[in-house]
Amino acid sequence: MQNWPLLISKLIDHAAQNHGTREIVSRTPEGPLVRSNWRTVATRSRQLAQWLVGKGISPGDRIGTLASNTHRHLETWFGIAGAGAIVNTVNPRLFDEQITYIINHAHDRVLFFDSTFLPIVEKIAEHLSVDHYIVLTDAQNMPESSLPLLCYEDILSSVDGDFTWVAVGEDDPVGLCYTSGTTGAPKGVLYSHRSNVLQSWSVCMPDGFAIAARSVVMPVVPMFHANAWSLPYACAMAGAKLVLAGPANDAASLQALMIDEGVTVTAAVPTIWLGMLRHLDATGGGLGQLNRVVIGGSAAPASMIERFERDFAVTVIHAWGMTETSPLGSFGTLCPEVEKMPYPAQLDYKAKQGRAPFGVELKVTLNGDGAPVPRDGRTSGHLLIRGPWIIDRYFGANTDTIDAEGWFDTGDIAMIDPFGYMQITDRAKDVIKSGGEWISSIDLENVAVGCPGVAEAAVIGVPHSKWDERPLLIVVRQPGAAVTKPDILAYLSGRIAKWWMPNEVVFVDAMPHSATGKILKVALREQFNGFRFPDDLSTITPST
Ligand code: ADP
């Protein structure tokens, strides 16, 4: 058979040729909605690639983007790939120092950014050595700046589009995304054409997110982090309509766009869906044509899954992954054995993180190496992963980050059941060790958010003189709710093992969130540093 390389340029050529008129609808940061299609995106990506090559960009050069989900950001992905270069998506929600670190570490030669992110760029520019700053906008909306800015639409119209994609191999790099660096400096993960194409294939599969030409997909997950869960590539592969919401992530705008554009599939972290459900409760609104919602990035609580499925007839697909896994490592679609079960039992499976698609191997070991523990749904340990879209070495590192057999240690603690469903119980660094046994903070959190009146819940381990560590439950109430500690403990009772019962419940006005919308356990641990349980007062030294 032929050696037909799996290239990102093949994806966009395919979309243009076979699904050319399928719409790409995009909310620009300036406000207006722009209607494009795969053919136009392909034409403009080609112009961009031509311009980049004209400016001396060579295969392997890195090019940064600091941008929300828009058609122009989409074109940079395909244009940069078509120039043989590497798109380094940078998360604008990171601190300025982290953004600076990433752009410099990657040696980004060009930076594309939304006009709304100009203040960030202006603040950090003196620390960067970028050749060209390009604002992803048109001439009318070009901002004033002391920086030598170029206008995206101007650079596109400066070339004729007569250009052949730069020849690269499928193993050549095409994407670079840095981990959010909550512990230490951000680390770069380099994706290849092949790894991105293969992951997109699995996303399109029926037991992935089932993306088809008839799908209308709105990735709320940002294109600036972890490939937007490969949805833009998967949509090009399937020829799906793509709806890009720009910077507006509030529930009301997302809901309006979803209904107006007939979105059938969407994806985001639980925090976004929490806001959406609250908005729907408050307004009595619906979700239009939506029939599938992908939830991942943090655990999707059973109560959230049930609300989508019961109240809105929207099927939830729970997914797990990380920057190092492109990012998808498992999909929570149901296997036939589970589908035959009554709904409450199905829900237990949907709340797990899902099964490995073809292309991913998972194993759980006691100490991060050695033989796998049994797939009995009870024995937990360190989750390892390998496959063609899993990291081997961080960008710029001298050594691999995998073992001799190719296994990457995810830093997650998990178990796998006999049907192959993997369940994350914790990140290794968040594990609560009580009397020599592990308590799953994720399980506790998932049950606690099901309690009426609870909006968000986080559990951290706090030192305890007798047990080593015990769980502290931190809760944000729903607006107007008066839920109390006894209410919550009564709700937990019978739903969790007795010895998991949090020793204390404290209420806070808001949770600290990471740049990718996860509850920041590190910040919570700092906030509650020195906290002592009422039943452990003996450890407190009386103040003088
Ligand atoms: P970071 O930049 O913080 O590494 P990632 O987006 O790569 O951000 O986060 C990956 C981590 O997020 C996983 O290792 C896991 O702990 C957590 N995670 C992702 N999806 C889920 C999920 N569905 N359930 C529980 N945890 C999840």
Side-chain angles (χ1 to χ4, degrees), residues 64-120:
T65 65
L66 199 61
S68 54
N69 294 6
T70 68
H71 66 297
R72 294 188 178 111
H73 196 185
L74 183 72
E75 290 158 6
T76 66
W77 281 25
F78 289 107
I80 293 167
I86 301 171
V87 58
N88 173 31
T89 52
V90 186
N91 184 341
R93 294 190 200 133
L94 295 173
F95 298 124
D96 292 348
E97 300 73 42
Q98 293 171 310
I99 297 177
T100 308
Y101 174 89
I102 290 170
I103 294 173
N104 285 335
H105 188 264
H107 292 293
D108 288 336
R109 292 194 52 195
V110 180
L111 184 65
F112 290 91
F113 59 96
D114 286 354
S115 57
T116 40
F117 296 138
L118 178 61
I120 302 178

Side-chain angles (χ1 to χ4, degrees), residues 12 114 135 186 191 216 255 273 290 323 353 360 368 375 399 416:
I12 190 66
D114 286 354
V135 189
Y191 307 115
V216 181
Q255 181 205 19
W273 300 127
L290 192 70
T323 309
Q353 276 67 17
V360 167
R375 291 186 165 218
T399 51
I416 301 179

